Each structure stands twice: as C-alpha cells, then as structure tokens.
C-alpha cells in the first residue's frame, strides 16, 4: 500500500523536471516532507490537444497521445467518484489495487480507461512491522533527487451544495518486488521511464488494454534501481514536517554517525596525568600484579569494554523522543 509520501521540491523545480506546460491549481499545493491522505498534491496527466488555446482541466481527447501536452494538476488525495453526492470519509480510496483494474472488478472500471495520471513524489513511506513496533522506511530512486512517478487514477465531481468542482486521485498498488517483500507485501506501481509514463497517460482509446496490465507487474527496472532506508518515527504523525524525514536515521545529527564523530573529536582527559603520589604507588602495585597474573583477567576487561560500546550504540539508535513541532 501507499499511505504517505514526500514531495518537498519548489514548484518551479517540479514543473521543470517534468516538462509540464502548465500547473492547474498550483497555489493549492505546499511542498511537504509528509504528504498524507486528504491533502492536496500534484498529479501529472495529459491535457487537451495542442491548438485548443490553453491547457484545459478536461482530459485529453487527442487522437495522438503525443499531441497533448503534459499538465500538472493539484488534486486531493483520496478519490471521490463522479457519481458521488457527498464526500464519504468512511470510504478508503487512497489506493486502488492493480488486480482489480486488470480483472475489471470494483469501482475503478468507469475511470481506468479515461482518467489515468501519475502521482509525483520524492519517495514514499512504508512501515515495517516488528512485533508491536512499526518502523517507517522511505523508498525512492537511487539516483537521488530524481522525482518518482506513481501510477494513479483521478476523477472529478461537483458535490451537492458546492459550486466548485472537486478533483481527487488515488494511487495504484501492486505486489511488492521480491527485494522489498521484507518491508511490505504491496508497493505503488512506479512509472520509471518515458515509455511507461506515455503508455499509462495515453487515454485516447478510452479503453483498457493488455499493454497496461504489463505496467502493473512488480517493479523490475534494473536501469533505475530503488533504495530503501529507515527514517524517523515522527513521520508517522500527520501534520508533522521536518527535512530529517527523508534522511536515513543513522545520518541524523543525533544518529550513530554523529556519535562516533563526537568520540573521535573528544579531547583526551588530563585527569589521569595528575595523580597523587599515593595513587601512583597504588597503580604501580596493580601493574606489577597484572604482570605476574595470567592473561585471563585482561581478556575479561576487554570484553567489558566492548559490551559498554555496544550498549551505547543501541541507545543512540533508539527512536528519538517526540518533539512538538511549531
């Protein structure tokens, strides 16, 4: 499944990277590290064919997919079908199962042939269940700042008592790639290359065909590998925002790498060099005793030191205390 993702780039950077001709309702999207369901986020789709004057809020009707420019459109996450009279908050439409699309079952039949889009993100979050604990992880393209495009469906409706059209979307999920099954049994359908994107966004036939089913298979693009790493638990709370949410937890300022860096730069204490004559004599006695005794005590002392070091790492690696965000 996909219940949270990150998209923190500036509007201009997003639009330039995707070569979108226009961004509809751009002002409704705020770049965020923690995008949750029922919030506003941009999707990429085809607009009206060239020569129609401007990019329209209506889907493309072009006879050639290449004639229709790419358009970004800010929509609400959580699809509300066009036949709805009101927004049913109890209906979970944040994800659409690929199996239902391929088999032709479920509520998606009426839109899967004509309303396909790509949901834009930096990467998506998934939680690893370990007993009663759940550890968040971020999955993204290994190439760094490259945007990830997840297959999606969208729809629009004017609800009763409203005058503005409501645009909403859902993210299509499929079986997890075998390399990611340790994390979760589902993952988003990722459109990792131009051919996949163009095939998915081509809705000129208004029908569903077999070539689309191939895109719904578990991720297998070796030319664009994915990376996944553990991130802070704070991302689990809706409404919290921090740039650390997309950083590996070990590289945080309060993480393991920072701890070892502090140990390397920590000045050597001078307390051991300023001993009293009595303590110095005691130390001499201890040194002579250690020379005459077997090496076993020294080994046990080393084990004790190693154990203490391991305990420190475990403490630092524990989830940081929750902080109130301003």
């Amino acid at each position: 499944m996909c219940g949270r993702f990150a998209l923190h780039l500036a509007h201009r950077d997003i639009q330039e990277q995707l070569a979108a001709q226009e961004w509809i309702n751009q002002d409704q999207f705020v770049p965020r590290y923690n995008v949750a369901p029922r919030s506003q986020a941009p999707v990429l789709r085809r607009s009206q064919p060239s020569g129609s004057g401007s990019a329209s809020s209506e889907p493309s009707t072009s006879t050639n997919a290449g004639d229709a420019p790419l358009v970004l459109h800010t929509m609400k996450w959580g699809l509300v079908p066009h036949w709805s009279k009101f927004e049913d908050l109890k209906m979970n439409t944040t994800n659409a199962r690929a199996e239902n699309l391929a088999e032709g079952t479920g509520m998606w039949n009426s839109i899967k042939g004509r309303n396909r889009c790509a949901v834009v993100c930096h990467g998506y979050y998934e939680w690893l269940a370990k007993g009663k604990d759940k550890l968040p992880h971020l999955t993204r393209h290994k190439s760094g700042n490259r945007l990830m495009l997840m297959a999606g469906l969208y729809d629009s409706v004017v609800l009763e008592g409203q005058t503005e059209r409501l645009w909403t979307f859902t993210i299509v999920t499929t079986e997890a790639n075998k390399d990611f099954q340790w994390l979760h049994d589902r993952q988003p359908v990722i459109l990792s290359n131009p051919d996949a994107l163009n095939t998915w966004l081509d809705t000129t036939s208004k029908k569903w065909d077999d070539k689309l089913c191939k895109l719904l298979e578990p991720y297998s693009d070796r030319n664009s590998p994915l990376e996944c790493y553990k991130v802070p638990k704070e991302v689990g709370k809706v409404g919290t925002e921090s740039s650390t949410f997309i950083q590996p937890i070990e590289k945080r300022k309060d993480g393991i790498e920072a701890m070892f860096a502090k140990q390397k730069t920590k000045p050597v204490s001078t307390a051991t060099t300023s001993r009293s004559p009595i303590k110095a004599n005691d130390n001499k006695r201890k040194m002579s005793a250690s020379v005459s005794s077997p090496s076993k005590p020294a080994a046990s002392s080393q084990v004790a030191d190693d154990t203490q070091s391991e305990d420190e790492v475990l403490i630092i690696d524990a989830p940081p205390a929750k902080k109130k965000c301003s």
Side-chain angles (χ1 to χ4, degrees), residues 24 45-49 52 55-62 68-69 71 73 75 111 113-116 154-156 165 167 201 203-204 206:
I24 301 168
R45 62 175 178 80
R46 293 289 181 183
S47 182
Q48 286 186 338
S52 61
S56 169
S57 60
E58 293 302 319
S60 169
T61 56
S62 171
V71 173
H73 193 161
M75 301 184 187
I111 61 174
R114 57 186 177 85
N115 289 2
R116 295 191 298 271
Y154 71 92
D155 210 347
S156 67
R165 181 168 291 274
W167 293 85
L201 296 184
T203 58
T204 53
K206 307 298 180 186

Side-chain angles (χ1 to χ4, degrees), residues 14 24 68 89 119 143 146 166 182 198 203 208-209 220 244 314:
I14 296 173
I24 301 168
L89 299 180
V119 182
S143 53
R146 177 188 171 189
L166 176 64
W182 60 271
N198 289 330
T203 58
W208 184 268
D209 54 45
S220 59
T244 62
L314 289 174

Side-chain angles (χ1 to χ4, degrees), residues 1-4 95-99 124-127 138-141 148-151 171-191 215-221 224-228:
M1 61 178 294
C2 179
R4 209 75 62 84
N95 294 160
R97 293 177 67 89
E99 295 85 344
Y124 69 91
Y125 299 105
E126 192 56 80
W127 277 256
L138 178 73
T139 300
R140 67 175 188 174
H141 285 297
M148 177 180 285
L149 297 176
M150 303 180 289
I171 296 173
V172 181
T173 65
T174 187
E175 292 183 4
N177 176 292
K178 63 180 182 179
D179 296 329
F180 288 86
Q181 289 178 355
W182 60 271
L183 178 62
H184 200 278
D185 60 352
R186 308 287 298 180
Q187 70 178 150
V189 172
I190 301 170
L191 307 170
L215 298 177
L216 303 181
E217 296 176 356
Y219 190 79
S220 59
D221 190 348
S224 184
L226 305 176
E227 64 176 353
C228 179

